[in-house]
Amino acid sequence: MKNIDILMAGVGGQGTILASNILTEVGLELKYNVKKSEVHGMAQRGGTVESHVRWGDEVHAPLIEQGYADYLIGFEMLETARWPSYIKKGAPVIINSYQIPPPSVNLGKAKYPSKEEIESILTAAGGKVIWVEGTKIAEELGNPAAAGVVLLGVVSNMLGGDEGIWQKVIQSLVPERFLELNRKAFQAGRALEVA
Amino acid sequence: MKKMMTGNEAIAYGAYLNGVRIGAAYPGTPSTEIMEEFAKYEGVYAEWSPNEKVALDTGTGAAYAGARAMVSMKHVGVNVASDSLFYGVYTGLKGGLLIISADDPGMHSSQNEQDNRNYARFAKIPMLEPSDSQEAKDFVGIALEMSETFDTPVMLRTVTRIAHSSAPVEIGDETPPAAPAEPPLYDRNPQKFVMVPAYARGRHVVVEERIKKLAEYAESTPINRIEPGDDNVGIIAAGAVYQYAREVFPKATFLKLGMIYPLPEKLLRQFASQVKTVVVIEELDPFFEGQIRNMGIEVRGKDIFPIVGEFSPGLIRERSAAAGLIPASEGLAEAEAASTSTAELPIRPPMLCPGCGHRGMFHVFRESGALVLGDIGCYTLGSAPPLSAMHTTGCMGASIGVAHGIAKAGMKDRVIAVIGDSTFFHSGIHPLINVLYNQSNVTVVIADNSVTAMTGHQQHPGTGITLQEKTTNAVDLEKLVRSIGFDKVDIADPYDLDGLAEVLEDHLGSGKPSVLIVRRPCVLYTREKNEPPHVDVELCSNCGTCLDLGCSPIGQAEDHVVIDPILCNGCGLCIQVCPSEAIVR
């Protein structure tokens, strides 16, 4: 029995919920048992968001255990760095090179960790860090909100499932007026060469 | 065919399939989506009631009329509805009445983590708890049957990890039963439905007999089941925690409880006799453990697992290893993981959204120096730094009463009560009447963003639209408070900082009870977005005044501030506060 546990972290408003819905439906298409759990705290925008997606033959808990995440997908740099304890040794950590400084940083009371610091936190936990210019790519496609789907494009190459399945799921979940944007964002991510 | 559904979606689906025709709720995390989803089904009536008590009276009335009804609320909503819960238990009903209590262990979005399983014992009603979406759907049907068979309200308890987790649900070709072709005539029966003492005394006897019969039922219902396994450790668990425990103890013997009150004593004894050690794994209170111990069964539980906070598979693994229930080595990964330190990372507390009207209001409150007694809603975030302009928050509607009490106790501080529009309709009107009736020097501010924002933009009595998207009468806040008798009532815009400050000073200095409606519709709901301003780095003195607005797009560069145009909503507050006129459009 092999489970695939995917943890996502970001900031409210970044589209983590759409991304986790896409992963959930793709898991079903690939004939896995799937569970998903997400916590979006009090804030509509600007708070921490985490989402757990689990694929497997048999999945009981909707939550991933510490040390068991096969993938960590980070929509924002600092939020990604909060989850090293969940990474399984050698797990890819796909990280959007995008910063949203929290209030303490804006007020000068704390320092936003550098890219190197974040990478070393995640590497020390056994993660294989992959930086993706998701927000930049999505912005070039017309809307930075599609950054999450760029990241999914990158992960899709590792998770398997042919592009048709992913695109079908995206079509079923994304409103018509944003469909073209998200299709392109997915393709852009999928086409990226990552180490 | 299987479809992914959250627990909330599955409850709504189960209610529809089982012929629930009337639904009522007040939004509250993590319960909100139950009624939102139910409202979409054909042939049902669903409403946002002003509060949970009104919702439960509505559901009770519908069940008195013979319809199946569902009322949903978050755990603290049951506190609001509890007076109505207790009479319904005595009268019984006619149609099935299902009450959903969505608990929030870990307080992801709540003021406490009360364990509402205690309500079942307190009110003497049966309670079911699903452990995934499929059970959430199935248990709705079982609960409604039980409600009608035993003539009692039935409570279904979920937690955040069931309500907001998605799992597959079998979708068949079931269809709901048809509604009665003609409205029936009401069955008038005062001995059963008029709870004056003479009748209520008789009904109490019925309640006690009923709960005994339900305990018998609990012995044989298939939703309480022994899952055979290794006989060293026998685990008793329910709900989400059952699923976590299954991850940690794949081979143990389980007593999986779907009906969590009343407990099946014979089944518990049989289970205890089959295993060497009985362990109860339950979040929050020792609800099972205490009752089982009272039966004289030896059991472990809270000596191993905490009473505070939300559980996870990892927590259960670590505590079980420490207690010797599983090999110590299995707990190592967890212990090692816990030692990975991320403590130095700056935290990211929830904060008001860019463009939020509450920000300008709290800025003006802070500048006024007044004491601000707060309430439940997005605006609770005004208590956090750097705004730091709210000094109490307790429960829905508490702000005005607390302000009244503080004013009566006599403080030097000038006193503001701040309450949102939806919260005001929920439970702000009675304390507002009290401020006028008993005359306290309180300025009541209604922070009107014209929607129930925090739970995801639900309608309320002031919006003029119902849950099922019908146009209706909108209660006019200004007319309402004037009709109570307030003569000092004003409306101000929180985007106009000077204007708001001026009218607030006028109210605070008036020496009498007054109402100030601070109105700015939620920008996430209206989708209003203005052109983001930018910083003229030559003029910026890096004084930090704009940063004190606590607005996430405004950040610090080397020697000046910057505004992230992706995050900025263009409200222009920073332009108004900048002393150097360095922020420009």
Side-chain angles (χ1 to χ4, degrees):
Chain A
M1 188 182 76
K2 164 106 175 72
N3 284 346
I4 300 176
D5 290 347
I6 310 157
L7 182 66
M8 274 175 282
V11 175
Q14 279 199 295
T16 45
I17 304 222
L18 171 67
S20 63
N21 286 342
I22 292 171
L23 279 174
T24 301
E25 293 297 328
V26 168
L28 276 190
E29 291 283 338
L30 297 176
K31 307 293 175 208
Y32 287 108
N33 261 311
V34 180
K35 282 194 179 172
K36 178 190 75 165
S37 185
E38 58 206 8
V39 164
H40 29 102
M42 277 177 65
Q44 291 276 339
R45 292 284 183 277
T48 295
V49 181
E50 58 170 282
S51 185
H52 302 233
V53 176
R54 307 193 65 205
W55 297 355
D57 298 328
E58 195 181 9
V59 181
H60 287 291
L63 296 176
I64 298 167
E65 254 186 82
Q66 300 204 356
Y68 286 78
D70 298 285
Y71 297 88
L72 171 59
I73 307 176
F75 286 53
E76 195 273 346
M77 288 164 56
L78 171 60
E79 290 316 307
T80 318
R82 291 191 204 285
W83 302 93
S85 64
Y86 278 74
I87 300 169
K88 188 185 274 180
K89 301 269 175 282
V93 177
I94 298 92
I95 240 198
N96 185 19
S97 308
Y98 181 61
Q99 302 184 356
I100 304 177
S104 56
V105 170
N106 282 338
L107 292 167
K109 293 188 176 135
K111 196 179 138 292
Y112 195 99
S114 68
K115 194 169 173 175
E116 291 70 30
E117 281 166 329
I118 287 171
E119 181 154 342
S120 86
I121 289 171
L122 295 164
T123 310
K128 194 170 139 258
V129 176
I130 298 160
W131 293 96
V132 177
E133 295 277 359
T135 300
K136 190 164 161 241
I137 292 169
E139 220 171 345
E140 283 162 10
L141 292 171
N143 192 335
V149 177
V150 176
L151 301 183
L152 285 190
V154 175
V155 183
S156 72
N157 288 321
M158 307 170 195
L159 283 172
D162 53 67
E163 184 172 351
I165 289 177
W166 288 85
Q167 290 286 13
K168 184 178 115 184
V169 168
I170 289 170
Q171 183 164 355
S172 71
L173 292 176
V174 172
E176 180 67 36
R177 63 201 165 106
F178 295 123
L179 188 54
E180 198 48 36
L181 167 74
N182 281 285
R183 276 183 180 292
K184 284 187 182 155
F186 181 80
Q187 279 162 347
R190 201 169 163 91
L192 281 181
E193 301 258 338
V194 294
Chain B
M1 176 196 152
K2 282 189 193 303
K3 189 178 173 215
M4 289 300 284
M5 286 190 184
T6 62
N8 283 347
E9 289 168 335
I11 288 169
Y13 179 56
Y16 165 70
L17 286 183
N18 285 285
V20 171
R21 285 192 291 119
I22 304 284
Y26 180 80
T29 311
S31 72
T32 311
E33 300 82 4
I34 297 170
M35 206 48 66
E36 284 184 318
E37 292 299 320
F38 178 71
K40 293 175 188 164
Y41 287 106
E42 207 179 303
V44 306
Y45 171 79
E47 69 173 36
W48 293 130
S49 307
N51 66 33
E52 294 85 353
K53 176 178 163 51
V54 178
L56 183 49
D57 289 331
T58 303
T60 303
Y64 279 178
R68 284 189 162 185
M70 173 171 70
V71 181
S72 55
M73 57 197 74
K74 69 181 293 168
H75 60 334
V76 290
V78 181
N79 300 341
V80 177
S82 60
D83 213 3
S84 300
L85 171 64
F86 280 72
Y87 78 73
V89 177
Y90 269 46
T91 63
L93 312 138
K94 189 166 186 222
L97 176 61
L98 175 63
I99 303 164
I100 317 285
S101 167
D103 292 12
D104 190 16
M107 295 174 275
H108 297 286
S109 195
S110 302
Q111 72 264 37
N112 75 24
E113 56 180 352
Q114 67 185 48
D115 186 337
N116 273 13
R117 294 179 301 169
N118 294 301
Y119 266 113
R121 207 175 173 194
F122 189 14
K124 305 185 179 188
I125 51 168
M127 183 180 268
L128 310 186
E129 181 169 4
S131 69
D132 60 22
S133 298
Q134 181 68 52
E135 284 190 350
K137 179 240 161 190
D138 294 342
F139 284 13
V140 167
I142 294 168
L144 287 162
E145 284 289 338
M146 199 185 292
S147 174
E148 286 168 2
T149 305
F150 294 92
D151 192 25
T152 176
V154 176
M155 201 175 266
L156 183 85
R157 181 209 190 217
T158 70
V159 295
T160 301
R161 297 299 183 179
I162 298 298
H164 284 170
S165 293
S166 296
V169 174
E170 194 62 50
I171 301 281
D173 45 13
E174 292 172 81
T175 49
E182 243 183 277
L185 204 59
Y186 189 83
D187 181 17
R188 301 174 191 197
N189 181 354
Q191 281 87 345
K192 186 170 187 296
F193 292 106
V194 178
M195 284 304 94
V196 290
Y199 296 153
R201 287 183 194 116
R203 293 302 300 175
H204 186 192
V205 177
V206 173
V207 171
E208 297 301 333
E209 284 166 358
R210 178 206 287 152
I211 202 75
K212 278 188 197 144
K213 286 183 199 151
L214 281 158
E216 276 304 308
Y217 172 95
E219 301 286 357
S220 57
T221 174
I223 65 173
N224 289 336
R225 60 167 189 266
I226 295 176
E227 296 173 351
D230 168 8
D231 66 0
N232 271 322
V233 177
I235 291 170
I236 299 171
V241 173
Y242 160 80
Q243 303 286 6
Y244 306 160
R246 265 275 165 233
E247 298 275 350
V248 180
F249 296 91
K251 297 201 174 79
T253 302
F254 271 74
L255 174 55
K256 198 275 188 194
L257 294 172
M259 182 169 176
I260 58 168
Y261 192 82
L263 291 178
E265 185 167 345
K266 285 178 216 140
L267 186 65
L268 283 158
R269 287 189 191 287
Q270 183 199 333
F271 179 73
S273 71
Q274 287 177 12
V275 296
K276 295 195 180 98
T277 307
V278 180
V279 180
V280 175
I281 309 184
E282 58 186 330
E283 254 168 358
L284 304 176
D285 293 346
F287 179 75
F288 298 148
E289 186 183 346
Q291 293 179 75
I292 295 168
R293 193 164 285 139
N294 280 347
M295 294 170 190
I297 299 170
E298 202 178 315
V299 59
R300 298 192 68 184
K302 292 297 170 190
D303 60 320
I304 304 172
F305 303 101
I307 204 164
V308 173
E310 188 182 35
F311 284 12
S312 65
L315 177 137
I316 293 173
R317 192 182 301 282
E318 185 210 327
R319 296 298 176 103
S320 301
L325 300 177
I326 55 174
S329 59
E330 283 189 40
L332 284 181
E334 189 67 21
E336 190 185 318
S339 71
T340 316
S341 177
T342 54
E344 299 82 37
L345 294 175
I347 58 160
R348 187 186 303 276
M351 58 195 299
L352 295 171
C353 306
C356 178
H358 298 326
R359 178 173 287 103
M361 179 182 75
F362 282 111
H363 171 78
V364 171
F365 285 174
R366 184 181 56 194
E367 300 300 302
S368 79
L371 183 68
V372 180
L373 299 320
D375 224 296
I376 305 272
C378 295
Y379 51 97
T380 308
L381 299 171
S383 63
L387 289 164
S388 309
M390 187 196 275
H391 310 108
T392 64
T393 297
C395 71
M396 293 288 284
S399 56
I400 303 174
V402 168
H404 177 75
I406 285 174
K408 285 291 179 192
M411 308 293 295
K412 258 190 187 157
D413 309 67
R414 303 188 293 175
V415 176
I416 295 172
V418 62
I419 184 167
D421 47 334
S422 190
T423 309
F424 179 72
F425 287 118
H426 178 283
S427 47
I429 298 171
H430 290 91
L432 185 71
I433 290 171
N434 195 40
V435 164
L436 193 70
Y437 171 48
N438 285 309
Q439 289 289 309
S440 56
N441 188 9
V442 172
T443 298
V444 175
V445 173
I446 304 176
D448 178 9
N449 61 10
S450 308
V451 75
T452 315
M454 189 166 66
T455 45
H457 304 121
Q458 289 75 31
Q459 304 298 335
H460 65 56
T463 65
I465 301 167
T466 69
L467 167 58
Q468 292 183 307
E469 295 176 348
K470 293 197 169 61
T471 306
T472 183
N473 291 24
V475 178
D476 184 316
L477 279 176
E478 187 187 358
K479 283 187 189 156
L480 174 66
V481 299
R482 284 194 188 279
S483 75
I484 291 172
F486 282 89
D487 54 14
K488 190 162 186 61
V489 180
D490 284 294
I491 298 175
D493 178 2
Y495 274 12
D496 172 10
L497 296 177
D498 291 344
L500 175 59
E502 193 179 323
V503 66
L504 181 69
E505 277 307 316
D506 175 42
H507 277 246
L508 288 171
S510 69
K512 63 176 188 178
S514 70
V515 177
L516 174 56
I517 299 167
V518 176
R519 179 172 292 153
R520 175 54 67 166
C522 171
V523 293
L524 289 193
Y525 185 57
T526 61
R527 300 188 176 277
E528 179 189 343
K529 190 174 163 90
N530 296 304
E531 188 198 336
H534 60 271
V535 178
D536 184 330
V537 297
E538 299 298 315
L539 292 176
C540 177
S541 67
N542 207 22
C543 65
T545 308
C546 57
L547 291 168
D548 278 338
L549 289 169
C551 190
S552 58
I554 311 177
Q556 183 82 61
E558 292 90 60
D559 60 349
H560 59 88
V561 297
V562 287
I563 296 171
D564 183 335
I566 294 177
L567 300 175
C568 178
N569 196 265
C571 71
L573 291 188
C574 52
I575 301 175
Q576 294 177 53
V577 300
C578 177
S580 312
E581 295 182 8
I583 304 178
V584 288
R585 265 198 245 269

